[in-house]
Structure formats: structure tokens, C-alpha cells
Amino acid sequence: MKNLLIAALLLAGLSVNSQDLGYYLPQQVSYNPAIPKPKEVIYHEVGEWHVTHDRLVNYMKAIAAAAPDRVKLEQMGFSYENRPQVLLIITSKNNHARLEEIRQQHVKLTDPSASAALNTADMPIVVWIGHSIHGNEPSGANASLLTAYYLAAAQGKEIEELLDNTVILVDPSFNPDGLQRFSTWANQHKSKNLVSDPNDREYNEVWPGGRYNHYWFDLNRDWLPAVHPESQNRLQWFHRWKPNILTDHHEQGSNASFFFQPGVPSRVNPLTPEKNQELTGKLGKFHAKNLDKIGSFYFTKESYDDFYYGKGSTYPDVNGAIGILFEQGSSRGHLQETTNGLLSFPFTIRNQFVTALSTLEGAREMRKEFLNYQRDFYKQAAVRAAAYAVKGYVFGDKHDKAKTYRFIEMLKRHQIEVNNVPDTWKDAEFEKGSSFMVSLNQPQHSLIRGIFDKTLEYKDSIFYDITSWTMPLAFGLPYREITAPMTLGEKITDIPWPAQQVNGGKSDYAYIMQWEELYAPAALNELLQAGYNVKVATRPFEIPVGAVNKKFNPGSIIIPVHMQKESSDAVYARLTMVTEKYKVLSWAVGSGNSNNGPDLGSGKQVTVARPSIALITGPGVNALDAGEIWHLLDQRMNITATHLEPGIFNRADINRYNTIILAAGTYGDLNKDKLKAWVQAGGTLILTEEAVSWAAQNGISDVKLKKVKAPVDSTQRIAYAEREQIDGAQQIYGAIFGAEADLTHPLAFGYTQKTVSLFKANKVFMEKSKNPYATPFFYGPRSMQSGWVSRENGEAIKNSAAVIVNTVGNGRVINIADNPNLRAFWLGGTKLFMNAIFFGRIIDAASGRTDE
């Protein structure tokens, strides 16, 4: 049967090995022989092997060098692994001669004060063709070789007309590190005689696979938070050019055909104009025509949505553009058996290429319509602002300025105007100097709402991604809607990072570092790694600082000068360096005698141990969750953690670690008896999401889990066609809940708000502990802040525990039901997680006291 399939493919012209350019390129088009073909630079035919990122970049450089009249290469930046992110700007010779003028004129379409005078009749349209943000969805990046060659080498009236009317931005690889990882995998397992068995190693990557970036993040969720350099670099160029259309070339399951937008109509973000979907549908006709021409099957208006603005196909929708998602059934390697027959890598590449061309054809024919839509989108911003009851927002955390500035940094990446509060401002919660304002009466009105809005009403109950991402809640920032007319202070141009120094200068007695600031854990870690003897306050206290008394909250870090191995001058120098580096608040004190609360020498001030951390990784572990922890520790806090796969864990001496972290996942290969014995001997085990369930089911913790009521009674008879909707509604795609925190508990040190926003995207519902001190975070009867869950899941969340601490022998198990580190922008959960690392071992969960 397999031989017959191969023969059929060969007869149809679909080689199972490799193809020359004639298989892909439009017929009856002549090509400039001076332009190098891909094989001349990458050393193989397109689709014969998976192009590696270095060869991909080399080809783009070669194209730019050979066709300077049409192609300009820009380097946007570098990935974590220092791979270049390149962008080809392709247009006609005449357009290149005035490229900066065209860019500036085009960007004015997004400026309501300047756009009215623009004539779009002769203005080129800007199209961004983006590829393979998931590294193991490689047909897009490989298709970029063809797109670049065609646009640089094709000759004739049609290509000249296209280039005269279009500025094309070709982004060959959204995810350089992931593409390199996957191409290496696929190529090193390729046989001369292609193996199509889906069970073959070629089609089954080892953990974590090539989908993710260096830190195992899904970059197609990072357009809005823009945590990673790949996203930050890309956004700078996105806003530099403000494209009218952006294509996002992906892959889906191997048994699927080809998808192009529009997606499910009921799952479009309500902030996206109807005109956007109308234009998306019109453009879809061009994709259908091109795919029909080569006999490829496809589908639309199913499965995928346009809701979360952090994806490549939806971010343009809230920026006056049209985002287009393409999903090609994946060969994953070179040739794979599917329910539709043999799927070859060249076939997947061709579909991506012809839809890139259909996008350009539609852009050329609908040029004025897209340009006018973009202008109207921004012209209508003032109308939308006037009609909306909320006029803007004030935000800021006077206790955590670093986190506030990270939020401003995120806003400004999206060209959102941020202002200081005015000089006349008076507010006890939002103080001048630490608080800022964002008006909704500005061009980015819709995007601002997409960042600040809470959402509780939805047209559908099934989602492709998360249902809410209200960013101030995610950052843990106090904020307030303003409904009255706004008076703004001066506009923020440069992000005002605070300059910090040790308050009070040098001390020969002690220093106190406040714990509220975002990077305080990084500062503490640096001191501990230097061998410092450091204590943490477990009770509030008030002590003279200079001529005044100052109150310090639990979690404050005490550095006794004479307990260190260094001189007092060296201690001061080190603390000054740490204070400036991590933007923390540090104070010099001359006496240990408190006016209120425990003295500095009290047993209530507990020595902090230097953390030695192992993070369990590998098969069964959710790579996204593990990557978020790795990124938090490595990038934000400069803390090292050993990555232990279960097989290594089972044979290693784990007594060298005092903290072990299990992220969401299943741990069937982990030696649970060894893990439990380690906890009993005094280790701190930190569990998140499904790892909580695994530990409870395997007797490592005594957490009790709640059961969810079924949505349908077993006696009912429901139409089969309703199954997808009913079952789909029971999934928890991700919503925001406010956990009530015991601010006196070590796991809540550093928090100043009693309600902490956490993100739930699982079905881990913990019963509150019978120990009255062991549930420091819990969800009350009305904890939903934004998002959607079914009625049955909502009932299970009510009055459940968000965090439980168990005593197991001499050790502690810290159970965190949800994800405090979501996508690296959930900074509101950072303190909880870092407290678990630094202070978990000082908790006496049986009595609620700390070890003293």
C-alpha cells in the first residue's frame, strides 16, 4: 500500500525526496540569472533538507547583495543564542530611492493629526511576510527562500507592478533558536531512503522540542508582553513600518490540510472592528484561488480564533492592520504517512509559498482599501474614546517602582503615550513620583483597552488560547479607571528607572534592605552567593534610621556588618553595588534596638540559607512552565538552577540541593520514594499546577483535591453534535482570580495588597488545609477578576486553596495550585515564587510560626 502511495505521488509530480524550483515557482515567468538560486547558497534544493538558520541568513544576505535595486537587508537584532534576526525590505528600484520618505508617509496614516492630508491613491501598501514562530513548524521558514528568490529574480510586467505598489518585509524566521534546534533534529535523523513511519525518531523530537525559543517560551504568545529579545526586536520594526498586512505562517497536525483566516466568527476579540474581518475574508478569496490552482485542500472559519492580542495573527488587528494566520498540516520531517496519504516536506513548503504570493496579489489589488482602513482605524480612535465611559487609567506601585517601570517599558514598546500625574494631583494610593497615567484619547486607544480591560462577558465558551490577560493585574500593579475628564502631567519620553543608593551612607552596625521591590530576591541572592550572613525579619519592626523612626515590614533583609567575613568598608561597597544594580531600597542603621517590634538580634529575625536549586525537566514536564521558572531565575534574578531529568535525578546525589522545583507535568519516571525521603530530611519541594496533583496522588503531600461536578447528568441524552461545545466549555483556558493573602506569612512577604491576582489554566482545585495556618493564599466565594470558566469549574474554585504548605518530616512541600510565572509577564506572582525559594524552609507549617 505504501509503495502505491509513493507511486501516486510521483505520478502527480510530488517527489518524496526533493524538488527543483520548477515545482514551486509560478510558470511562464522568466528569472534574472544573476540572482543566486537557493541551492547555490544553502547547498541543497528547497525541501530536500531542512534549512538551518545560518544557511537561511546566508541566503538572505546573498539575495540582498545580488539584487540591491530590489532588496535591502536589515538586522533587527539577535536572539538569546546570538543568532541574527534579519528583515528583507523588497520593493522597486524607484521606491528604494525614496524608501525613508515612503516609510514616513506611510506611518502618518496612523497619526490622526496628519493622515487626512495623505493621498492613498499612489501610496505603496506595506506587507510583512513572517515565518515559523514555532521552530518545529519549518515549512514557513523554508518557503521564505522561495519568496525571497521570486521577489528578487522574477521579471516581467506583473512583478514590476507588484513592487511599484508594495513594500514587502520578509521576515524569514521569527524564532531563530527554535528553527536551528529543529532543523538539526530533522536532518540528523533523515535516511537516504526516506522513512515515512510516524513512529520513526525523525518525527518524535526529544524534550523540549524545537517549537520554543531558548528558554522554552512560545514566542507566538509574546507579541503583547514582549518579554523576549526576539519579540522586542521585531516590534521595533513593526512600529517603524506599521504594515497593513502581516502573515503568520504556522503548521498544525499532520492529518490536517491547510487553514487560512478568518477563524471562528464568535471568537473574535470585540475590540477588533468588523471591517477587519471583512477584509480578512476578501483576502481569503485570493488564498483559495491559489490553493485551488495547485489542487490543495484547505479549510477556514474553524478551530482558530482572533481573541488574544499576544499572537502574531491578532496583534496586527488591534494596530489598524490585518493579521493572517496560515496553518499547514505538518510533515514534521521529510515524508510522513497521514490519513490523507504521504505528506512530503516540499508539498508543505509549496502551500506556504503560494499563500505568500496570494497575500501579495490581494494586497496589490486591494491596496487602497487596506490603506484607507488603516487610516480610518486611527482616525476613529478619538470617536471610540469619546463614546467609552472610561477616559484613562492611573497606575503605579509606590512600594515597587521597578515593577512599575517594567510596565511602562511594555506600554511604550507599543507606542502608547504615558504621562506623569499632574502637579495638582493628590491621592493617598497613587502618589506623585511613583504613579503614572494613560489616557484613552490617543491613537492606540484600542490596544490600551486590550491591555487594561477586564472581561467577564463572552460570545463563545471555547477558546484557542487564554480568555483574559489584564496586564495591570498580571503585573500586580495597583491601578484605577478614571471616568472623569483627565488632566495629564508631562509626557514620559525616557523610562525613569530609579537611581538608588544606601540611605544613610556607611554603617558599622547593620543594613536593612526592603523586600517589596521586584529585584530584591536577586539582590539577596548576590549577597548569599558572596557568603554573607543574612537574616529575614518575620515580624514588623520600627527602628531609628538617622533622626527618624522607620517601619520595616516582614521580609525585610538584615545584613549585620560584623557577622561578615569582609571589612565594614567592603560590606558597604558591596551593598552599594547591589542596591544600585537591582534598584532596591537599603538603609544604614546604627543600633539594633527597635522602638517597636523585635530587636535586630531577636530570634524573630531568622537566618536565610543560600538556595541550591534543582528544577526537574525532561519528558512529562510542561516545557512552557519549566521555561518560565528557568527564565525567572536566570534572566531576572541571576540565580542558577540545575536542570535534572528524571533519569539523572534517580541516580544522582540530591542532597546537594536544598530546593527542588516540579512545574506542571507528570512525573511517572521520577523516583517518588527518593523524593519523599529528601523532603523528610529537610528539603523544600515547590510544586506548581498539575505537579500538585501528582504529589498528592503519590503520597508526597497530604493535599486534598476537590472534584468538579459533571456538566451533564448521566441520565440525560444529548445530541452528539453538541459534544464539542459542552466538553470544550469544561476546559479552563486561562482566567484571572484574586487570591486572598495572609500578609504575615513568609510566602506573602513583600506583598502590600491583600488580594494577589493569579492565573488559573488547570483543574487543580485544592481543599483548604485543616491546619488553620497552612493556607496562606485562598480563593474566596467571588474571586473571579477577569476571564471565563464554566459554572461547574467556577464552583470548584470558590473557597479553594491557592497555596498550601505541608510539613513532611523536617521538610516543607509548598503547593501552588496555579501558575505564578505565566509567560514571564505575570510579575504579580514573582514574590510568591521567590518567597517559596528563600523562605520556604523557615515556615513551621504545623503551628504557623517560623523557625526561630
Side-chain angles (χ1 to χ4, degrees):
M1 181 63 182
K2 189 185 302 182
N3 291 336
L4 289 174
L5 286 169
I6 293 175
L9 285 173
L10 287 170
L11 288 171
L14 305 182
S15 167
V16 297
N17 195 344
S18 64
Q19 295 288 351
D20 63 22
L21 292 180
Y23 170 68
Y24 303 104
L25 295 176
Q27 302 299 309
Q28 299 169 336
V29 175
S30 61
Y31 294 90
N32 183 350
I35 306 302
K37 297 176 181 178
K39 186 177 181 179
E40 296 170 24
V41 177
I42 67 173
Y43 310 116
H44 59 81
E45 296 286 3
V46 175
E48 181 182 3
W49 296 88
H50 285 246
V51 70
T52 58
H53 184 265
D54 54 333
R55 293 185 181 186
L56 180 67
V57 170
N58 287 343
Y59 185 68
M60 298 302 158
K61 290 179 177 179
I63 284 285
D69 288 348
R70 287 190 182 181
V71 183
K72 181 180 181 182
L73 185 140
E74 297 282 1
Q75 186 160 299
M76 296 185 288
F78 293 89
S79 69
Y80 278 117
E81 296 175 14
N82 283 330
R83 291 191 172 85
Q85 290 177 267
V86 298
L87 186 71
L88 295 186
I89 303 177
I90 304 176
T91 190
S92 67
K93 180 179 179 180
N94 289 338
N95 286 343
H96 270 296
R98 58 186 195 93
L99 192 63
E100 180 58 17
E101 176 190 339
I102 289 173
R103 187 193 68 80
Q104 290 185 18
Q105 184 185 52
H106 181 80
V107 169
K108 286 180 181 178
L109 287 174
T110 67
D111 180 359
S113 66
S115 64
L118 297 176
N119 180 9
T120 58
D122 300 318
M123 184 183 294
I125 187 173
V126 179
V127 181
W128 187 304
I129 309 291
H131 305 87
S132 300
I133 202 162
H134 298 141
N136 63 357
E137 298 177 4
S139 57
N142 283 263
S144 73
L145 296 162
L146 301 167
T147 304
Y149 175 76
Y150 172 78
L151 293 173
Q155 296 175 319
K157 181 179 179 182
E158 186 174 338
I159 187 69
E160 295 295 342
E161 184 180 343
L162 173 66
L163 296 179
D164 281 340
N165 289 281
T166 315
V167 175
I168 304 159
L169 310 175
V170 176
D171 190 336
S173 173
F174 280 149
N175 181 1
D177 298 342
L179 180 70
Q180 184 72 21
R181 190 183 316 131
F182 179 73
S183 61
T184 301
W185 176 269
N187 289 337
Q188 73 182 14
H189 293 100
K190 177 190 175 186
S191 299
K192 182 184 71 170
N193 300 293
L194 298 183
V195 178
S196 59
D197 182 354
N199 297 313
D200 188 73
R201 185 170 168 84
E202 181 179 355
Y203 310 107
N204 296 278
E205 303 167 75
V206 294
W207 193 95
R211 178 181 178 90
Y212 309 119
N213 77 341
H214 176 80
Y215 282 98
W216 314 330
F217 278 74
D218 186 336
L219 290 175
N220 198 39
R221 306 297 185 268
D222 195 46
W223 284 76
L224 195 59
V227 170
H228 304 286
E230 298 93 335
S231 305
Q232 294 168 9
N233 297 334
R234 190 187 325 114
L235 277 176
Q236 286 184 356
W237 282 87
F238 178 93
H239 287 294
R240 181 173 173 79
W241 273 99
K242 300 282 190 181
N244 299 97
I245 302 171
L246 183 143
T247 67
D248 192 13
H249 291 259
H250 285 253
E251 291 182 358
Q252 56 188 325
S254 299
N255 292 324
S257 59
F258 190 91
F259 169 85
F260 57 83
Q261 286 178 313
V264 180
S266 60
R267 301 176 199 166
V268 177
N269 194 297
L271 294 172
T272 299
E274 290 183 7
K275 183 70 173 179
N276 171 284
Q277 294 297 290
E278 178 188 327
L279 292 172
T280 301
K282 285 185 176 182
L283 195 57
K285 301 296 183 184
F286 292 88
H287 310 321
K289 183 182 72 173
N290 271 19
L291 291 168
D292 286 342
K293 192 181 299 183
I294 61 172
S296 289
F297 273 27
Y298 51 84
F299 65 99
T300 185
K301 298 180 183 176
E302 293 179 34
S303 302
Y304 300 97
D305 65 28
D306 280 309
F307 191 76
Y308 172 52
Y309 284 133
K311 297 189 296 182
S313 58
T314 47
Y315 182 77
D317 295 343
V318 78
N319 281 278
I322 308 297
I324 301 295
L325 172 66
F326 294 125
E327 292 275 357
Q328 165 63 48
S330 179
S331 67
R332 277 295 185 266
H334 294 85
L335 180 72
Q336 186 173 170
E337 298 168 19
T338 74
T339 57
N340 299 310
L342 288 172
L343 179 61
S344 72
F345 189 38
F347 178 81
T348 68
I349 295 169
R350 186 170 67 160
N351 282 347
Q352 300 279 24
F353 173 58
V354 301
T355 49
L357 295 189
S358 63
T359 301
L360 295 175
E361 181 184 358
R364 179 180 59 82
E365 292 199 17
M366 299 169 59
R367 178 180 58 84
K368 284 183 63 177
E369 197 168 358
F370 282 114
L371 292 168
N372 290 335
Y373 168 72
Q374 185 176 48
R375 174 166 57 187
D376 292 344
F377 177 90
Y378 285 101
K379 281 176 65 177
Q380 291 298 312
V383 177
R384 294 193 293 271
Y388 190 52
V390 177
K391 302 306 172 187
Y393 309 89
V394 60
F395 66 89
D397 190 338
K398 59 188 175 185
H399 304 290
D400 191 348
K401 293 183 179 179
K403 190 165 61 178
T404 304
Y405 298 139
R406 284 297 183 203
F407 188 74
I408 296 173
E409 184 179 57
M410 182 271 296
L411 294 175
K412 290 185 70 63
R413 282 199 181 101
H414 302 292
Q415 298 200 330
I416 292 171
E417 295 177 6
V418 181
N419 295 75
N420 283 300
V421 297
D423 292 335
T424 56
W425 180 266
K426 285 184 172 53
D427 190 292
E429 182 178 7
F430 298 100
E431 298 177 352
K432 186 172 175 58
S434 61
S435 300
F436 304 88
M437 305 179 90
V438 171
S439 169
L440 277 167
N441 188 18
Q442 58 176 292
Q444 290 291 53
H445 168 92
S446 295
L447 180 55
I448 295 167
R449 287 191 56 191
I451 288 171
F452 281 87
D453 275 5
K454 296 179 182 177
T455 310
L456 294 168
E457 295 182 5
Y458 298 83
K459 292 182 179 180
D460 208 327
S461 57
I462 298 179
F463 302 85
Y464 187 76
D465 197 62
I466 59 179
T467 70
S468 182
W469 54 91
T470 309
M471 300 296 267
L473 296 179
F475 274 68
L477 280 180
Y479 80 111
R480 183 189 303 152
E481 295 178 345
I482 298 175
T483 54
M486 293 181 69
T487 301
L488 302 171
E490 63 183 7
K491 186 185 297 185
I492 299 292
T493 52
D494 297 319
I495 299 173
W497 275 94
Q500 299 289 11
Q501 59 184 359
V502 178
N503 293 282
K506 180 175 176 287
S507 171
D508 290 322
Y509 189 78
Y511 299 94
I512 302 172
M513 182 177 74
Q514 293 180 225
W515 191 245
E516 289 80 7
E517 287 285 350
L518 175 64
Y519 296 109
L524 171 59
N525 180 69
E526 191 148 325
L527 294 175
L528 292 173
Q529 295 302 322
Y532 270 48
N533 189 324
V534 175
K535 296 179 179 293
V536 59
T538 64
R539 302 288 188 275
F541 64 94
E542 194 173 295
I543 199 167
V545 174
V548 299
N549 288 326
K550 179 164 178 60
K551 181 179 178 181
F552 290 93
N553 293 323
S556 297
I557 302 301
I558 301 165
I559 303 102
V561 172
H562 292 290
M563 289 187 185
Q564 315 308 330
K565 296 176 182 178
E566 298 180 328
S567 68
S568 60
D569 287 340
V571 171
Y572 176 60
R574 186 179 297 275
L575 194 64
T576 298
M577 179 271 294
V578 166
T579 297
E580 293 174 351
K581 180 177 179 180
Y582 295 111
K583 313 298 183 188
V584 294
L585 291 171
S586 301
W587 304 82
V589 294
S591 170
N593 188 14
S594 296
N595 292 330
N596 238 320
D599 294 326
L600 296 193
S602 165
K604 299 288 193 297
Q605 328 293 20
V606 182
T607 299
V608 181
R610 182 173 65 184
S612 177
I613 303 169
L615 172 64
I616 305 301
T617 58
V621 181
N622 185 311
L624 293 169
D625 288 44
E628 289 158 0
I629 294 168
W630 179 21
H631 180 273
L632 171 65
L633 298 179
D634 192 41
Q635 282 289 323
R636 292 205 190 277
M637 300 301 172
N638 291 332
I639 296 175
T640 59
T642 298
H643 297 172
L644 279 184
E645 293 209 356
I648 304 296
F649 173 93
N650 293 342
R651 64 175 183 266
D653 177 10
I654 60 173
N655 291 318
R656 64 183 295 165
Y657 313 111
N658 56 24
T659 305
I660 293 178
I661 302 171
L662 273 65
T666 56
Y667 295 86
D669 294 333
L670 198 69
N671 187 330
K672 60 180 181 293
D673 294 327
K674 183 177 182 179
L675 179 62
K676 186 172 184 178
W678 173 85
V679 177
Q680 290 173 326
T684 299
L685 177 62
I686 302 173
L687 309 169
T688 65
E689 298 193 271
E690 288 83 3
V692 171
S693 303
W694 176 84
Q697 291 160 2
N698 285 277
I700 296 171
S701 75
D702 63 4
V703 164
K704 301 296 187 292
L705 300 171
K706 300 171 74 172
K707 293 184 178 180
V708 183
K709 182 181 177 182
V712 178
D713 189 278
S714 59
T715 62
Q716 291 179 275
R717 292 295 171 262
I718 307 294
Y720 182 79
E722 295 184 31
R723 179 181 177 183
E724 180 183 359
Q725 193 69 31
I726 292 172
D727 290 352
Q730 296 309 307
Q731 303 304 311
I732 299 183
Y733 300 91
I736 306 172
F737 293 85
E740 300 304 308
D742 173 4
L743 298 183
T744 70
H745 196 282
L747 293 185
F749 285 175
Y751 284 108
T752 56
Q753 301 179 88
K754 191 167 177 56
T755 301
V756 176
S757 299
L758 296 174
F759 186 83
K760 176 169 275 298
N762 61 53
K763 291 193 173 186
V764 179
F765 309 113
M766 298 191 298
E767 297 277 7
K768 291 180 184 176
S769 174
K770 293 181 179 179
N771 177 344
Y773 309 108
T775 308
F777 294 78
F778 69 93
Y779 298 120
R782 290 176 294 278
S783 59
M784 170 75 84
Q785 292 180 311
S786 186
W788 190 92
V789 296
S790 69
R791 181 177 63 255
E792 294 80 11
N793 287 322
E795 287 298 318
I797 294 167
K798 286 181 181 179
N799 299 310
S800 66
V803 180
I804 289 177
V805 182
N806 296 141
T807 298
V808 179
N810 292 320
R812 305 290 180 267
V813 179
I814 299 173
N815 305 271
I816 304 173
D818 301 308
N819 185 357
N821 307 308
L822 179 77
R823 298 177 182 174
F825 71 83
W826 211 271
L827 300 184
T830 299
K831 274 288 186 288
L832 164 60
F833 198 80
M834 299 312 300
N835 287 344
I837 289 174
F838 284 105
F839 308 142
R841 61 189 52 83
I842 74 170
I843 302 168
D844 183 350
S847 66
R849 298 191 301 270
T850 50
D851 293 336
E852 299 163 357

PDB file of all heavy atoms in Angstrom, residues 115 124 182 357 439 464 470 472 500 508 645 725 789:
ATOM      1  N   SER A 115      -2.952  62.336   8.981  1.00  0.00           N
ATOM      2  CA  SER A 115      -3.362  61.396   7.934  1.00  0.00           C
ATOM      3  C   SER A 115      -4.373  61.978   6.945  1.00  0.00           C
ATOM      4  O   SER A 115      -4.468  61.515   5.807  1.00  0.00           O
ATOM      5  CB  SER A 115      -3.945  60.136   8.566  1.00  0.00           C
ATOM      6  OG  SER A 115      -5.135  60.434   9.294  1.00  0.00           O
ATOM      7  N   PRO A 124       2.320  53.168  -1.742  1.00  0.00           N
ATOM      8  CA  PRO A 124       2.513  51.719  -1.685  1.00  0.00           C
ATOM      9  C   PRO A 124       1.915  51.128  -0.397  1.00  0.00           C
ATOM     10  O   PRO A 124       1.883  51.778   0.647  1.00  0.00           O
ATOM     11  CB  PRO A 124       4.038  51.558  -1.688  1.00  0.00           C
ATOM     12  CG  PRO A 124       4.578  52.862  -2.180  1.00  0.00           C
ATOM     13  CD  PRO A 124       3.601  53.902  -1.748  1.00  0.00           C
ATOM     14  N   PHE A 182      15.353  22.572  15.641  1.00  0.00           N
ATOM     15  CA  PHE A 182      14.544  21.571  14.964  1.00  0.00           C
ATOM     16  C   PHE A 182      15.184  21.104  13.661  1.00  0.00           C
ATOM     17  O   PHE A 182      15.142  19.911  13.326  1.00  0.00           O
ATOM     18  CB  PHE A 182      13.138  22.101  14.669  1.00  0.00           C
ATOM     19  CG  PHE A 182      12.296  21.096  13.943  1.00  0.00           C
ATOM     20  CD1 PHE A 182      11.797  19.992  14.602  1.00  0.00           C
ATOM     21  CD2 PHE A 182      12.046  21.225  12.584  1.00  0.00           C
ATOM     22  CE1 PHE A 182      11.045  19.032  13.940  1.00  0.00           C
ATOM     23  CE2 PHE A 182      11.300  20.276  11.903  1.00  0.00           C
ATOM     24  CZ  PHE A 182      10.798  19.173  12.585  1.00  0.00           C
ATOM     25  N   LEU A 357       2.285  34.405  -1.931  1.00  0.00           N
ATOM     26  CA  LEU A 357       2.026  35.109  -3.196  1.00  0.00           C
ATOM     27  C   LEU A 357       0.582  35.585  -3.289  1.00  0.00           C
ATOM     28  O   LEU A 357       0.318  36.680  -3.807  1.00  0.00           O
ATOM     29  CB  LEU A 357       2.353  34.196  -4.378  1.00  0.00           C
ATOM     30  CG  LEU A 357       3.818  33.788  -4.561  1.00  0.00           C
ATOM     31  CD1 LEU A 357       4.002  33.074  -5.901  1.00  0.00           C
ATOM     32  CD2 LEU A 357       4.753  34.981  -4.465  1.00  0.00           C
ATOM     33  N   SER A 439      -3.973  57.991  29.020  1.00  0.00           N
ATOM     34  CA  SER A 439      -5.253  58.457  28.508  1.00  0.00           C
ATOM     35  C   SER A 439      -5.708  57.541  27.382  1.00  0.00           C
ATOM     36  O   SER A 439      -4.901  57.074  26.574  1.00  0.00           O
ATOM     37  CB  SER A 439      -5.118  59.887  27.982  1.00  0.00           C
ATOM     38  OG  SER A 439      -6.276  60.263  27.247  1.00  0.00           O
ATOM     39  N   TYR A 464      -9.135  29.284  21.784  1.00  0.00           N
ATOM     40  CA  TYR A 464      -7.889  28.677  21.324  1.00  0.00           C
ATOM     41  C   TYR A 464      -6.768  28.934  22.314  1.00  0.00           C
ATOM     42  O   TYR A 464      -5.850  28.145  22.450  1.00  0.00           O
ATOM     43  CB  TYR A 464      -7.507  29.226  19.950  1.00  0.00           C
ATOM     44  CG  TYR A 464      -6.331  28.525  19.333  1.00  0.00           C
ATOM     45  CD1 TYR A 464      -6.481  27.261  18.762  1.00  0.00           C
ATOM     46  CD2 TYR A 464      -5.067  29.101  19.336  1.00  0.00           C
ATOM     47  CE1 TYR A 464      -5.395  26.599  18.210  1.00  0.00           C
ATOM     48  CE2 TYR A 464      -3.976  28.448  18.779  1.00  0.00           C
ATOM     49  CZ  TYR A 464      -4.157  27.197  18.221  1.00  0.00           C
ATOM     50  OH  TYR A 464      -3.072  26.534  17.670  1.00  0.00           O
ATOM     51  N   THR A 470      -5.496  40.746  31.551  1.00  0.00           N
ATOM     52  CA  THR A 470      -5.475  42.121  32.053  1.00  0.00           C
ATOM     53  C   THR A 470      -4.109  42.428  32.661  1.00  0.00           C
ATOM     54  O   THR A 470      -3.750  41.917  33.723  1.00  0.00           O
ATOM     55  CB  THR A 470      -6.584  42.318  33.091  1.00  0.00           C
ATOM     56  OG1 THR A 470      -7.829  41.863  32.538  1.00  0.00           O
ATOM     57  CG2 THR A 470      -6.691  43.777  33.491  1.00  0.00           C
ATOM     58  N   PRO A 472      -2.345  45.035  34.124  1.00  0.00           N
ATOM     59  CA  PRO A 472      -2.036  45.532  35.466  1.00  0.00           C
ATOM     60  C   PRO A 472      -2.240  44.458  36.543  1.00  0.00           C
ATOM     61  O   PRO A 472      -1.458  44.399  37.503  1.00  0.00           O
ATOM     62  CB  PRO A 472      -3.014  46.702  35.654  1.00  0.00           C
ATOM     63  CG  PRO A 472      -3.423  47.086  34.285  1.00  0.00           C
ATOM     64  CD  PRO A 472      -3.393  45.839  33.472  1.00  0.00           C
ATOM     65  N   GLN A 500      19.190  54.370  42.897  1.00  0.00           N
ATOM     66  CA  GLN A 500      19.133  54.022  44.318  1.00  0.00           C
ATOM     67  C   GLN A 500      20.525  54.065  44.934  1.00  0.00           C
ATOM     68  O   GLN A 500      21.530  53.821  44.261  1.00  0.00           O
ATOM     69  CB  GLN A 500      18.536  52.621  44.499  1.00  0.00           C
ATOM     70  CG  GLN A 500      17.113  52.466  43.993  1.00  0.00           C
ATOM     71  CD  GLN A 500      16.088  53.200  44.849  1.00  0.00           C
ATOM     72  OE1 GLN A 500      16.444  53.999  45.706  1.00  0.00           O
ATOM     73  NE2 GLN A 500      14.815  52.947  44.605  1.00  0.00           N
ATOM     74  N   ASP A 508      28.609  50.897  60.547  1.00  0.00           N
ATOM     75  CA  ASP A 508      29.471  49.869  61.131  1.00  0.00           C
ATOM     76  C   ASP A 508      28.663  48.849  61.925  1.00  0.00           C
ATOM     77  O   ASP A 508      29.247  47.976  62.581  1.00  0.00           O
ATOM     78  CB  ASP A 508      30.521  50.527  62.048  1.00  0.00           C
ATOM     79  CG  ASP A 508      31.555  51.311  61.259  1.00  0.00           C
ATOM     80  OD1 ASP A 508      31.934  50.829  60.168  1.00  0.00           O
ATOM     81  OD2 ASP A 508      31.953  52.393  61.709  1.00  0.00           O
ATOM     82  N   GLU A 645      16.882  15.862  34.696  1.00  0.00           N
ATOM     83  CA  GLU A 645      15.897  14.975  34.101  1.00  0.00           C
ATOM     84  C   GLU A 645      15.663  13.803  35.053  1.00  0.00           C
ATOM     85  O   GLU A 645      16.540  13.455  35.860  1.00  0.00           O
ATOM     86  CB  GLU A 645      16.373  14.489  32.729  1.00  0.00           C
ATOM     87  CG  GLU A 645      16.448  15.607  31.710  1.00  0.00           C
ATOM     88  CD  GLU A 645      16.226  15.128  30.286  1.00  0.00           C
ATOM     89  OE1 GLU A 645      16.083  13.904  30.077  1.00  0.00           O
ATOM     90  OE2 GLU A 645      16.183  15.982  29.385  1.00  0.00           O
ATOM     91  N   GLN A 725     -19.056  21.365  21.965  1.00  0.00           N
ATOM     92  CA  GLN A 725     -19.311  22.597  22.698  1.00  0.00           C
ATOM     93  C   GLN A 725     -19.374  22.353  24.196  1.00  0.00           C
ATOM     94  O   GLN A 725     -18.806  23.110  24.989  1.00  0.00           O
ATOM     95  CB  GLN A 725     -20.618  23.231  22.206  1.00  0.00           C
ATOM     96  CG  GLN A 725     -20.846  24.663  22.669  1.00  0.00           C
ATOM     97  CD  GLN A 725     -19.885  25.650  22.024  1.00  0.00           C
ATOM     98  OE1 GLN A 725     -19.451  25.453  20.892  1.00  0.00           O
ATOM     99  NE2 GLN A 725     -19.536  26.702  22.745  1.00  0.00           N
ATOM    100  N   VAL A 789     -14.736  30.884  32.911  1.00  0.00           N
ATOM    101  CA  VAL A 789     -14.725  29.457  33.230  1.00  0.00           C
ATOM    102  C   VAL A 789     -16.179  29.005  33.293  1.00  0.00           C
ATOM    103  O   VAL A 789     -17.090  29.806  33.489  1.00  0.00           O
ATOM    104  CB  VAL A 789     -14.013  29.131  34.571  1.00  0.00           C
ATOM    105  CG1 VAL A 789     -12.539  29.476  34.516  1.00  0.00           C
ATOM    106  CG2 VAL A 789     -14.688  29.834  35.740  1.00  0.00           C
TER     107      VAL A 789
END
